[in-house]
Amino acid sequence: MLIKVFGSAVFGVEATTITVEVNIDKGIGYHLVGLPDNAIKESSYRIAAALQNNGYKLPGKKITINMAPADLRKEGSAYDLTLALGILAASSQIKGENISDYLIMGELSLDGGLQPIKGALPIAIKAREEGYKGFILPIQNAKEAAIVDNLEVYGVDNIKEVIDFFDGSGQLEQTIVDTREEFYKELDNPEFDFADVKGQESIKRCMEIAAAGGHNIILVGPPGSGKTMISKRLPSILPPMSLQEALETTKIHSVVGRIKENVGLMAQRPFRSPHHTISDVALVGGGAYPQPGEISLSHNGVLFLDELPEFKRSVLEVMRQPLEDREVTISRAKFTVTYPSSFMLVASMNPSPGGYFNDPDAPVTSSPAEMQRYLSKISGPLLDRIDIHIEVTPVPFDKLSEERRGESSVEIRKRVIKARDIQTNRFSELKNIHYNAQMGVKQIRKYCELDTASKELLKTAMERLNLSARAYDRILKVSRTIADLEGSESIQGDHISEAIQYRSLDRDGWLG
């Protein structure tokens, strides 16, 4: 008897439906075809034990299973439940009249319990697109899949529940999630607050500008000056994700299995802080079976690279293209996957190997030549792609000992949201541009027009600092953001002046 059951494979952040054809005939043997990997080939042992421990058995006949399309490689243990139900239906141990109405996925334990799977959200989206009545999966992933509307989602603990459901002797409880309620309930609970930061008003101002325009930023300063502390608080002043951004972000984290158990939609912007020993593949994504890297896991959030010069040069250079294109494409001989990577880059670094500026009173001093050599580990093209460069100086004792708390993240965030709203209206007719940092050359020319005085000011700065054409565009983008924060329709000279100050690493004599 031939039965068709449906599962799904995830490539990139999109799912592809897999048809599992189970045929039981005279003879003996178990044949699994359709490019399964070792985890799927080993499923026969898990299925046999799970069925036996629940009062069923593998039929002692010739079982042929084809996973179509047969030329697409399948991987992982999430097909156990799909295969097991196909075998039971094909051997008439359960009724299988409506089994093809459901998409079924889950990894089996030997007692028939179900283990969580990866990629539940993109699979659920695909199931809805292709008109399946429902999606049966492990209960740990049910809330994640249930954020997709117009699809019945059933979370189950054990294979016996699914068997009883198709036999008509039991019912499955549908998981229902109010997506909007799930999204909004977590919005205003920042873990870190700018009110904890003593002094450093100029750095807070830079962070506000960076958050308002989505600009990349690098902080340069000695140890203990607050670079990491301030960077960790950046997500607390970023505007809330839209529902669409939350779905995109959840989808990527779902693919790599990073969604917390019993959590549906990710409402907080991601903050990723990889160690400097990370490889280039781990950063941008890839591998034999491509997976998203840290830059994609940071999509719609913040990627924080602490001690930037300690990262391998090859690792930093592979970020150039994703920083410009806001997506990364990984190509293999048989397929190509594209992961979104629209993130804010926040980097921090010491000005020298010893950690201090060229200061004779510093605990460890470095010569200007040593400092220059250390800084040269960061390539010019990468620095060009960072909009804001700022020097961070140590906080004096009188500031540290102040009882007065600084301005809270909630207050700063209000101004950031107001500036972002201006940008949202400005770019409302453009599909892929939502804030100033995403502007291309055409938008810069249209929205960053300068008066004569501002042009002269910028011209002088370009000539004295020997800035590149890319740096010129970055200054205009940052100026536009500063103007938006002030509610100004046009860019003024003081906006240009402030933006120029945030190109510290472009200055010949910045070392002092």
Side-chain angles (χ1 to χ4, degrees), residues 271-483:
F271 180 87
R272 307 291 300 181
S273 181
H275 193 259
H276 62 257
T277 55
I278 191 171
S279 68
D280 48 0
V281 171
L283 187 69
V284 299
Y289 309 112
Q291 290 283 293
E294 288 290 338
I295 62 172
S296 295
L297 292 172
S298 308
H299 182 60
N300 292 323
V302 176
L303 177 66
F304 177 49
L305 301 183
D306 201 6
E307 304 301 339
L308 192 65
E310 301 301 332
F311 285 79
K312 292 193 290 260
R313 191 180 179 97
S314 61
V315 171
L316 297 178
E317 295 309 302
V318 295
M319 280 201 306
R320 285 198 210 170
Q321 179 259 336
L323 279 170
E324 287 288 311
D325 298 344
R326 300 189 179 272
E327 64 180 23
V328 58
T329 300
I330 299 163
S331 298
R332 295 291 179 266
K334 290 189 176 181
F335 60 88
T336 298
V337 295
T338 299
Y339 295 114
S341 59
S342 181
F343 60 93
M344 272 184 68
L345 174 64
V346 180
S348 74
M349 59 182 286
N350 297 322
S352 69
Y356 294 88
F357 288 102
N358 189 20
D359 180 359
D361 298 325
V364 182
T365 58
S366 300
S367 69
E370 287 175 322
M371 295 173 74
Q372 199 63 57
R373 196 180 308 119
Y374 183 74
L375 290 167
S376 66
K377 291 183 180 181
I378 315 299
S379 71
L382 181 62
L383 279 178
D384 258 359
R385 287 168 169 80
I386 299 176
D387 303 353
I388 299 174
H389 311 157
I390 190 71
E391 297 167 36
V392 185
T393 53
V395 183
F397 177 78
D398 59 331
K399 289 282 185 184
L400 280 174
S401 57
E402 274 185 354
E403 292 296 325
R404 182 176 60 87
R405 283 171 64 84
E407 190 177 21
S408 71
S409 292
V410 173
E411 293 304 313
I412 300 172
R413 192 188 210 186
K414 288 177 183 175
R415 296 196 295 270
V416 169
I417 292 173
K418 193 174 178 181
R420 282 284 183 107
D421 288 342
I422 292 171
Q423 294 164 48
T424 301
N425 292 332
R426 178 183 298 139
F427 306 124
S428 58
E429 295 180 3
L430 300 171
K431 185 179 179 182
N432 297 318
I433 299 177
H434 308 290
Y435 46 85
N436 290 336
Q438 295 177 323
M439 284 193 292
V441 175
K442 188 181 292 185
Q443 290 78 38
I444 291 172
R445 299 294 174 263
K446 182 176 180 180
Y447 299 114
C448 301
E449 291 183 358
L450 304 179
D451 57 31
T452 306
S454 298
K455 279 183 182 176
E456 284 301 316
L457 178 62
L458 186 51
K459 179 184 176 185
T460 304
M462 290 285 294
E463 291 170 350
R464 286 188 181 176
L465 304 178
N466 194 26
L467 300 179
S468 68
R470 188 180 279 116
Y472 170 79
D473 286 347
R474 303 285 169 185
I475 289 171
L476 289 177
K477 289 181 184 180
V478 174
S479 303
R480 181 65 268 172
T481 301
I482 295 169

Side-chain angles (χ1 to χ4, degrees), residues 102-295:
Y102 296 86
L103 204 146
I104 304 166
M105 294 292 284
E107 176 188 335
L108 283 172
S109 296
L110 298 187
D111 63 355
L114 289 175
Q115 300 296 322
I117 64 173
K118 294 179 180 178
L121 179 55
I123 292 172
I125 292 170
K126 190 69 174 178
R128 181 185 64 182
E129 283 177 4
E130 299 198 347
Y132 288 95
K133 183 179 179 182
F135 181 18
I136 298 171
L137 76 168
I139 196 164
Q140 299 95 320
N141 302 110
K143 285 191 75 174
E144 179 187 335
I147 64 178
V148 178
D149 55 5
N150 301 323
L151 178 73
E152 295 174 11
V153 173
Y154 300 103
V156 290
D157 273 321
N158 194 285
I159 189 174
K160 190 70 170 70
E161 296 175 35
V162 189
I163 291 170
D164 292 344
F165 173 69
F166 284 115
D167 264 345
S169 57
Q171 289 295 319
L172 294 178
E173 186 178 343
Q174 185 178 348
T175 303
I176 298 173
V177 171
D178 185 330
T179 307
R180 294 190 177 275
E181 182 187 343
E182 185 85 7
F183 176 61
Y184 288 113
K185 74 178 181 182
E186 293 184 36
L187 281 183
D188 290 316
N189 298 310
E191 185 179 352
F192 301 105
D193 198 310
F194 267 100
D196 304 328
V197 181
K198 303 284 189 181
Q200 302 293 23
E201 299 305 325
S202 62
I203 313 304
K204 290 181 188 176
R205 166 70 173 169
C206 283
M207 284 295 181
E208 183 179 334
I209 294 168
H215 301 290
N216 302 323
I217 183 170
I218 183 168
L219 310 175
V220 186
S225 55
K227 302 185 298 295
T228 303
M229 182 184 187
I230 291 169
S231 299
K232 284 184 176 178
R233 281 155 177 75
L234 178 60
S236 69
I237 63 171
L238 288 172
M241 285 197 286
S242 65
L243 201 54
Q244 181 61 37
E245 285 178 323
L247 280 166
E248 286 175 4
T249 307
T250 307
K251 202 173 175 183
I252 296 167
H253 286 251
S254 172
V255 168
V256 293
R258 296 285 177 86
I259 303 291
K260 293 177 183 175
E261 194 173 310
N262 295 320
V263 170
L265 200 62
M266 287 179 64
Q268 303 286 356
R269 290 186 181 272
F271 180 87
R272 307 291 300 181
S273 181
H275 193 259
H276 62 257
T277 55
I278 191 171
S279 68
D280 48 0
V281 171
L283 187 69
V284 299
Y289 309 112
Q291 290 283 293
E294 288 290 338
I295 62 172

Side-chain angles (χ1 to χ4, degrees), residues 11 16-21 32-37 65-74 334:
F11 293 93
T16 300
T17 299
I18 302 296
T19 304
V20 177
E21 302 170 317
L32 181 58
V33 296
L35 286 184
D37 71 351
I65 302 174
N66 177 45
M67 304 180 78
D71 62 342
L72 194 68
R73 186 164 180 81
K74 293 84 182 176
K334 290 189 176 181

Side-chain angles (χ1 to χ4, degrees), residues 33-141:
V33 296
L35 286 184
D37 71 351
N38 285 334
I40 301 175
K41 290 175 184 175
E42 292 169 353
S43 65
S44 60
Y45 302 106
R46 293 190 293 273
I47 292 169
L51 294 182
Q52 186 175 356
N53 288 325
N54 284 277
Y56 297 85
K57 63 179 181 178
L58 275 179
K61 296 184 178 181
K62 182 181 178 183
I63 303 171
T64 305
I65 302 174
N66 177 45
M67 304 180 78
D71 62 342
L72 194 68
R73 186 164 180 81
K74 293 84 182 176
E75 59 175 11
S77 53
Y79 298 97
D80 290 359
L81 185 60
T82 323
L83 298 172
L85 289 170
I87 291 169
L88 290 173
S91 59
S92 301
Q93 294 183 66
I94 63 169
K95 298 173 185 175
E97 293 90 353
N98 63 336
I99 200 167
S100 60
D101 293 340
Y102 296 86
L103 204 146
I104 304 166
M105 294 292 284
E107 176 188 335
L108 283 172
S109 296
L110 298 187
D111 63 355
L114 289 175
Q115 300 296 322
I117 64 173
K118 294 179 180 178
L121 179 55
I123 292 172
I125 292 170
K126 190 69 174 178
R128 181 185 64 182
E129 283 177 4
E130 299 198 347
Y132 288 95
K133 183 179 179 182
F135 181 18
I136 298 171
L137 76 168
I139 196 164
Q140 299 95 320
N141 302 110

